Amino acid sequence: MVGGSGGVEASLAGTLTVYAETTATFSKEQLIVVYCWGPACNGGTKGAARLSALGFQVKEMLGGIEYWRKEGNDVEGTLGNSANIIG
């Protein structure tokens, strides 16, 4: 995880405004998986739609980081698995 208190390994933390300029360094050959904090957040859905419209291969991780953690998966970051789960 790059930055943030806790997230999935090799993820980018924070909000990314999805435009051609902000995604110029992303590979369109590599699958991008987006997620939000939990099932009540639609940021991942919006990001996936924008990335797809720009021609990227994208999937949304349903349930977000909340359910990733509830299912026992590890997270990285400054707080790691002790990061607060909202919800």
Side-chain angles (χ1 to χ4, degrees):
M1 184 184 135
V2 180
S5 60
V8 177
E9 180 181 352
S11 67
L12 300 173
T15 303
L16 171 68
T17 304
V18 179
Y19 297 111
E21 299 80 19
T22 59
T23 59
T25 61
F26 294 6
S27 169
K28 291 191 178 180
E29 303 302 315
Q30 186 171 357
L31 176 66
I32 298 173
V33 178
V34 297
Y35 64 92
C36 207
W37 68 263
C41 176
N42 69 352
T45 303
K46 289 179 179 180
R50 290 179 183 151
L51 287 164
S52 180
L54 289 171
F56 291 97
Q57 301 175 58
V58 61
K59 290 189 177 188
E60 181 180 4
M61 184 174 73
L62 298 177
I65 193 70
E66 176 183 359
Y67 279 81
W68 178 264
R69 294 252 321 265
K70 284 182 177 182
E71 291 176 5
N73 297 299
D74 287 333
V75 297
E76 293 183 338
T78 56
L79 297 178
N81 287 325
S82 63
N84 186 33
I85 295 179
I86 300 171

